[in-house]
Structures are given as structure tokens and as C-alpha cells.
Amino acid sequence: MTFTFTYPWLFFALSLPLFIHWAVKPYSEKRLAVRSPWFGRLVRFSGHQPGDGAVVQHRTLKETIVGIAVWGLLVFALTRPQYIEPPIHKTVPTRDLLLLMDLSGSMETEDFTNAAGERVTRLAAVKEVLDDFLSRREGDRVGLIVFGNAAFVQVPFTQDLDASRMLLEQLFPRMAGPKTALGDAIGLGITLFERSDVKQRVIIALTDGNDTGSQVPPAQAARIAADKDIVIHTIAVGDPTAVGEEKLDEEALKDLSQTTGGQYFYAGDRDALEGIYKALDLLEVRQVETISYRPRLDLFHWPLAAAFLLSLGFYLLHGWRSRGVPAAEGKASTDPGKMSGPSNYQVENKKAA
């Protein structure tokens, strides 16, 4: 931690009371001290000339010390003392990575093996490898679009990789329909990238069939993506010998990647799929940028509270002691029955007699 002041130049205000005391005259109010119709005679008889006078209330030593302490604390608070805490580093996203995942009915075909050697569906193998791929995306913003009969945003661009992996785990075949709308998924991805100001924009499209349900052909969507500097890598998962809706159109996927400057991959099993994601790690070099800042902890409220409590406590104590002082001794009584001598009224009566 580092201790600092935001406005250290305000320490010059410590000498401000001395300057005011030296430069500004005390407040004075002129008024007659004695009103008498025979004032002139009193002056001649006494032989003294009238002059100006003033009542000056002097501070005690305690009041002076408390005043200096309170003013010093107030100035100390005005300088805004702060503790600068250790720097906190934050990774700035340098790339937006969008995953397009096919959820058509053919993704439930059990022709893959998992890490334990068990036969699983294509989607289960893809999710297992993709989960590990997402765990290494530190510094990227990741998004996920799923497509079947239509395309849907499952995860918008985010740096919350844990949330992305959790939503990935909830996917299952046919949840978006049995068909394959790859072109529409690319078009939806282009729309997401319109809100992005990151230079590197990458789409990884994973499908196991040819496009059978898009309103926008994949080739046309790829040309639009290329115009917007979006690179598309395609990964084919499935049986190249299949026919019908489950047919794997490798030529279309290759053309789609070449149009945008990306690469085409074929994953016949889980090991090949895992190797593809490792190759993508090497292909898409990530330049991580970090920013750092040091949090500032304000402390001005402590001297401000100390000044308030000190002044309040002093004057409360001063007032309590003032109330405890007994009446001045020798004070004349106004009760005629308790007067020690004859009253002026009685003296005047005797003279009259």
C-alpha cells in the first residue's frame, strides 16, 4: 500500500488563520458607553477626556489548542488522503470467437468414443472436446450459436467461460429441429459481430450434414462474412458416404472456409476432433493484452470525524463546567429585609425629616 494525497497543495491552508489574523482587523461596533445629560460636566469635574474602548474576549490555552487541532484536521481531510492498494490486472479481450454447433438429428448417432473408450453420440464427443477447448479461451470473448431448423443464440459474446461451458452441457440433439440451417447460423453470427469492436473475429462451424433448411445459402453468407473480415473454420463430423439429409457436403464446407480465409477439417473420431482444436489453437495465435489499475481507498472521513468529535466534545465539556460554577460571592441582594444596612429610601426619609 502507498499513502498519498489527492490535493496536497491544500496544506497551504494551514497558515490561512495566521494570515487573516495579520491582514484583517478585528470586527468593531461603535456605540456610546454612557448616556447622561450632564456628561460634559462629569468630564470637566473629573479632568479626564473620553476615548474609545473595547471589550476583547481572550481565548484560553485549551481553546487555542483545540482550535488549532480542529483546523488542522479539517485541512487534512480537504487534502483527501488515500491508500493506493496493490495493482489489479485485467485481461482485455483481443478476439471474438463464435462457435456454431449443429444439433440436427444425425448428431445423436453413436459412432464416437469418449476419453474412457465408451461409445457415445457425436454430440457427446463434441461437447467433451469443446469443453476442454473453452477452458483455454482466457483472453477471448466466446459466443455459441446452435442451429437445426433455425439458428438460435445460446451464449452471446462473453468472457464468462464457466457460464459458456455450463450452457454447452445443456445441449441435446434435435432441440433446434432435425434439419441443418448452416447458412442462417452464419448470418446470425455476422449480426452478433456487428456489435463487436475487436479486430480478430473467428467463427468455428461444426456440422455433420449438408445445409437443408437455410433461407440464406451458406456460400452467400460466407461472402458477406469475408467482406466484414470474419474468418470461418469449418469442422465436418459425420459419415462422408451418407446420403439424403445426413449427407456430408465436404466440398461446400471447403469452399465456405476458403472464401473467408479459414481452413476445413474433418473429424472422423474423437481423437481427430481433439487434434483439430489443438491445431486451431496454433492457427489462431492470441495476443493477450492486459490493463492494470490500483484501487484507491479514501480516508478523508476519518480526520473529518475526528474534528467533529473533538470540537463537539470540547464545547459540551465546557458548557457542563460552566453550569457547575457557583454564583459570585458578595453579590448584592435585592430583598429589602436582608439588606445589611439602611436602604437609600430610608436615608432619604431621614434627611427629609
Side-chain angles (χ1 to χ4, degrees), residues 214-284:
S214 291
Q215 297 180 1
V216 178
Q220 181 180 350
R223 288 192 294 269
I224 298 174
D227 293 338
K228 297 182 177 296
D229 297 325
I230 300 174
V231 178
I232 301 178
H233 302 294
T234 56
I235 301 176
V237 178
D239 185 3
T241 62
V243 296
E245 291 188 358
E246 296 183 2
K247 176 184 177 181
L248 187 61
D249 193 349
E250 292 186 276
E251 292 300 324
L253 295 178
K254 290 178 181 178
D255 292 341
L256 191 152
S257 297
Q258 292 176 357
T259 301
T260 61
Q263 292 193 17
Y264 166 79
F265 301 92
Y266 173 73
D269 53 27
R270 183 187 180 282
D271 293 336
L273 183 62
E274 187 173 1
I276 290 171
Y277 283 117
K278 290 181 179 179
L280 288 172
D281 273 336
L282 298 176
L283 184 65
E284 293 293 338

Side-chain angles (χ1 to χ4, degrees), residues 73-134:
L73 289 170
L74 291 177
V75 173
F76 189 74
L78 287 174
T79 60
R80 197 174 179 181
Q82 293 178 330
Y83 267 130
I84 301 180
E85 299 181 1
I88 296 177
H89 301 282
K90 181 181 179 182
T91 303
V92 180
T94 57
R95 178 176 60 191
D96 280 347
L97 182 63
L98 183 60
L99 302 172
L100 309 184
M101 180 170 289
D102 186 357
L103 296 182
S104 60
S106 56
M107 289 296 287
E108 60 186 358
T109 304
E110 295 184 358
D111 55 358
F112 273 69
T113 57
N114 59 13
E118 301 172 345
R119 299 284 290 184
V120 295
T121 64
R122 295 174 181 175
L123 181 60
V126 168
K127 286 164 59 175
E128 183 179 358
V129 176
L130 191 56
D131 181 79
D132 181 63
F133 179 74
L134 287 177

Side-chain angles (χ1 to χ4, degrees), residues 63-349:
E63 291 176 332
T64 303
I65 294 175
V66 171
I68 293 174
V70 169
W71 178 250
L73 289 170
L74 291 177
V75 173
F76 189 74
L78 287 174
T79 60
R80 197 174 179 181
Q82 293 178 330
Y83 267 130
I84 301 180
E85 299 181 1
I88 296 177
H89 301 282
K90 181 181 179 182
T91 303
V92 180
T94 57
R95 178 176 60 191
D96 280 347
L97 182 63
L98 183 60
L99 302 172
L100 309 184
M101 180 170 289
D102 186 357
L103 296 182
S104 60
S106 56
M107 289 296 287
E108 60 186 358
T109 304
E110 295 184 358
D111 55 358
F112 273 69
T113 57
N114 59 13
E118 301 172 345
R119 299 284 290 184
V120 295
T121 64
R122 295 174 181 175
L123 181 60
V126 168
K127 286 164 59 175
E128 183 179 358
V129 176
L130 191 56
D131 181 79
D132 181 63
F133 179 74
L134 287 177
S135 66
R136 301 192 301 269
R137 296 302 95 203
E138 187 69 28
D140 289 340
R141 289 202 315 166
V142 177
L144 177 62
I145 289 179
V146 297
F147 61 94
N149 290 6
F152 304 93
V153 177
Q154 179 74 357
V155 181
F157 284 122
T158 178
Q159 286 186 279
D160 191 347
L161 302 180
D162 292 335
S164 301
R165 295 167 64 186
M166 181 183 66
L167 292 173
L168 172 68
E169 185 62 29
Q170 297 177 0
L171 301 179
F172 56 89
R174 299 178 183 271
M175 68 178 295
K179 295 184 179 181
T180 304
L182 177 59
D184 291 348
I186 296 174
L188 182 57
I190 295 172
T191 302
L192 286 181
F193 279 119
E194 289 180 353
R195 305 187 186 95
S196 172
D197 55 359
V198 179
K199 294 181 180 179
Q200 288 185 283
R201 305 175 182 182
V202 180
I203 291 178
I204 299 177
L206 190 147
T207 180
D208 69 343
N210 63 329
D211 190 289
T212 57
S214 291
Q215 297 180 1
V216 178
Q220 181 180 350
R223 288 192 294 269
I224 298 174
D227 293 338
K228 297 182 177 296
D229 297 325
I230 300 174
V231 178
I232 301 178
H233 302 294
T234 56
I235 301 176
V237 178
D239 185 3
T241 62
V243 296
E245 291 188 358
E246 296 183 2
K247 176 184 177 181
L248 187 61
D249 193 349
E250 292 186 276
E251 292 300 324
L253 295 178
K254 290 178 181 178
D255 292 341
L256 191 152
S257 297
Q258 292 176 357
T259 301
T260 61
Q263 292 193 17
Y264 166 79
F265 301 92
Y266 173 73
D269 53 27
R270 183 187 180 282
D271 293 336
L273 183 62
E274 187 173 1
I276 290 171
Y277 283 117
K278 290 181 179 179
L280 288 172
D281 273 336
L282 298 176
L283 184 65
E284 293 293 338
V285 179
R286 181 173 68 254
Q287 297 178 353
V288 178
E289 296 181 3
T290 59
I291 59 175
S292 61
Y293 66 98
R294 302 187 67 177
R296 294 174 177 265
L297 180 62
D298 283 313
L299 304 173
F300 67 90
H301 51 280
W302 292 109
L304 194 63
F308 173 75
L309 294 176
L310 179 60
S311 59
L312 179 64
F314 176 78
Y315 285 106
L316 286 177
L317 182 62
H318 182 73
W320 174 75
R321 288 182 175 179
S322 298
R323 288 194 300 269
V325 175
E329 296 182 358
K331 185 176 180 181
S333 175
T334 57
D335 188 356
K338 296 182 180 179
M339 295 180 66
S340 58
S343 65
N344 295 335
Y345 176 77
Q346 293 174 335
V347 173
E348 290 178 359
N349 286 340

Side-chain angles (χ1 to χ4, degrees), residues 24-32 52-57:
V24 181
K25 294 182 179 180
Y27 171 76
S28 61
E29 180 181 354
K30 293 184 177 180
R31 62 181 180 179
L32 297 176
D52 296 333
V55 177
V56 179
Q57 183 179 3

